[in-house]
């Protein structure tokens, strides 16, 4: 296609808006690497927009074939059209619209040692994507989004996740349902808060643990903090009065994994 | 002022461009909190653009007086003009142009226990700002930028630093000069690399330590890696093949501080 009026092009272009993502159940993944990750984790690609030069490169052509086999309709487009959909000057050579996939807390496997991350009212998609990437790198079992959060399927969140959006089980839940689930699952909730009564590295994380972090501006609500099994604070000095949320999550997730001797890490 | 043609307004507006920042030696800090931080750390404010409603709020008026006393020329502007300079719809009530301030590695205090962070060819201003904030929170003594890096005085970097740009001594250096300085200072260089021969939590950080991290895409150049006293890797599992640079820095900085028993942390 060369025309911006094409219905699929219009659809893909609309996916920058949350409303269009919700209505279509689709989101955009930029580039060949993300498309590979999506396929590798069994996500369903609905549409692919590929630059005309993509079909001349054997590796990309093979990827397009696999995307087609997985159900995608593949359109080739001019670089200009691709740039207009991607909203940037040097777009990736392919854009893939995948179907959303969310899991339910109740469906999460709870036997054996487990590490989950729960985020309450996280607002910044870059932070969310980065936390998905960190959770994935540390072998976490899933990320729960509690209350009204930013959209994990926004282009910024997907981009910052560097493919981990496809690897990390993701559940949306109401705080009350989350608390009920942690009790049923026998999961210990370790909440990060400025008012924590012990340092994050002095916490007992237990065999099944949820690391709970709050909103960028206001942290956790009192009820969720009170329902946690432990409240920890990350030490601070200097002029900064807090850490960036994704940095705090990285410190906490790696501390919890360190407490388990970095079990399962790649050699 | 109400006119976008005003010379000061033109100057402030130009500060989104690196060239204009370099030529004027100025950069923009958004909002009252950053202006307070700048003043608290003795940075020189050159210009302030304040929303008309700012001068009616006692606290903001007092801040404007202090900015004026510190040498700033204060202009009041309409919300629309403020929004046009800040390039966003809901701008902060004041914008301050501060003078750049960089230090020289050779001027850094090297007695007693020290922790520094060095970043080679960091490219993302959000990462840089976040790392400044994390380094500040962990009480680091300074951040060195090696080779061609993104501009620490860009609006994105300043914003992500949440004021730590004013608190953290910042030096630009050529890699060779950095290596010479570490030898003179008796600083142990601990480099983060995927090829590290030990885990980051098994490193000896020593009394004076520089944590060295590389570019987002390609990491550290071989020469800098080879010159380091230790090469460490942050453990990974899952599908992610790396951490976000600011997340990796947070994990490493907090591990180095943990090795010192989180000395100096606020109670």
């Amino acid at each position: 296609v060369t025309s911006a009026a094409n219905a699929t092009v219009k659809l893909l272009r609309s996916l920058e808006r949350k409303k269009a993502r919700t209505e279509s159940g689709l989101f955009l993944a930029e580039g060949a690497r993300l498309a590979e990750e999506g396929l590798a984790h069994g996500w369903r690609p609905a549409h692919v927009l590929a630059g005309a030069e993509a079909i001349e490169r054997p590796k990309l052509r093979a990827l397009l074939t696999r995307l087609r086999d997985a159900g995608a309709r593949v359109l080739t487009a001019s670089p200009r059209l691709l740039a207009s959909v991607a909203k940037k000057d040097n777009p990736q050579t392919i854009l893939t619209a995948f179907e959303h996939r969310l899991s339910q807390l109740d469906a999460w496997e709870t036997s054996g040692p487990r590490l989950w991350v729960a985020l309450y009212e996280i607002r910044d998609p870059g932070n969310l994507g980065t936390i998905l990437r960190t959770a994935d790198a540390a072998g976490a079992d899933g990320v729960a989004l509690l209350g009204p959060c930013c959209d994990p399927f926004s282009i910024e969140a997907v981009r910052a996740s560097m493919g981990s959006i496809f690897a990390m089980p993701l559940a949306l839940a109401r705080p009350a349902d989350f608390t009920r689930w942690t009790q049923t699952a026998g999961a210990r909730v370790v909440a990060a808060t400025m008012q924590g009564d012990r340092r994050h590295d002095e916490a007992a994380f237990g065999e099944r643990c949820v690391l709970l972090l709050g909103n960028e501006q206001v942290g956790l609500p009192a009820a969720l903090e009170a329902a946690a099994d432990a409240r920890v604070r990350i030490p601070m000095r200097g002029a900064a009065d807090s850490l960036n949320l994704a940095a705090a999550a990285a410190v906490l997730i790696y501390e919890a994994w360190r407490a388990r001797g970095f079990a399962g890490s790649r050699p």
Side-chain angles (χ1 to χ4, degrees), chain A:
Chain A
V1 288
T2 52
S3 162
N6 175 284
T8 304
V9 170
K10 270 190 177 164
L11 168 67
L12 298 190
R13 185 180 273 163
S14 76
L15 297 180
E16 68 167 333
R17 296 194 313 273
K18 163 123 202 214
K19 188 162 174 280
R21 289 195 297 273
T22 305
E23 284 172 4
S24 66
L26 299 175
F27 68 102
L28 275 188
E30 302 165 300
R33 193 173 160 276
L34 284 196
E36 294 275 9
E37 293 282 336
L39 283 181
H41 291 91
W43 290 52
R44 224 185 80 79
H47 300 279
V48 179
L49 197 61
E53 79 278 30
I55 51 171
E56 280 161 34
R57 283 151 62 179
K59 254 181 138 172
L60 272 174
R61 202 156 57 187
L63 172 59
L64 291 176
T65 302
R66 286 162 54 222
L67 284 162
R68 207 179 273 115
D69 291 347
R73 290 194 297 158
V74 178
L75 290 177
T76 55
S78 67
R80 211 170 65 179
L81 193 61
L82 209 56
S84 88
V85 175
K87 268 122 204 143
K88 50 181 181 177
D89 288 345
N90 295 297
Q92 301 270 0
T93 44
I94 75 167
L95 291 171
T96 309
F98 279 98
E99 291 179 6
H100 292 186
R101 187 201 287 176
L102 290 167
S103 56
Q104 299 286 330
L105 283 185
D106 290 329
W108 283 3
E109 196 62 61
T110 56
S111 61
R114 298 281 164 184
L115 180 67
W116 299 280
V117 176
L119 305 169
Y120 176 80
E121 287 196 8
I122 180 170
R123 285 294 156 81
D124 183 277
N127 281 343
L128 174 51
T130 301
I131 294 173
L132 287 170
R133 183 177 174 189
T134 305
D136 185 16
D141 295 285
V143 173
L145 299 180
L146 313 181
C149 289
C150 61
D151 183 8
F153 298 115
S154 72
I155 198 99
E156 298 83 5
V158 171
R159 195 182 283 156
S161 86
M162 293 285 279
S164 293
I165 183 89
F166 298 114
M168 237 342 67
L170 194 59
L172 314 185
R174 286 182 306 178
D177 294 335
F178 164 75
T179 298
R180 254 192 306 277
W181 171 76
T182 59
Q183 286 158 355
T184 314
R188 195 172 155 77
V189 179
V190 175
T193 152
M194 307 282 240
Q195 289 78 44
D197 47 25
R198 69 191 62 195
R199 256 173 21 206
H200 70 298
D201 63 321
E202 294 168 337
F205 293 102
E207 199 194 9
R208 276 183 296 285
C209 178
V210 190
L211 304 174
L212 172 63
L213 295 109
N215 169 270
E216 284 91 345
Q217 308 300 319
V218 297
L220 288 168
L224 266 178
E225 246 188 71
D229 298 289
R231 281 154 292 279
V232 300
R233 64 186 152 73
I234 297 175
M236 299 276 158
R237 56 185 286 194
D241 47 35
S242 67
L243 288 175
N244 161 270
L245 182 65
V251 169
L252 191 58
I253 291 168
Y254 266 78
E255 183 58 35
W257 193 22
R258 199 182 65 81
R260 294 179 183 176
F262 292 115
S265 75
R266 291 198 288 267

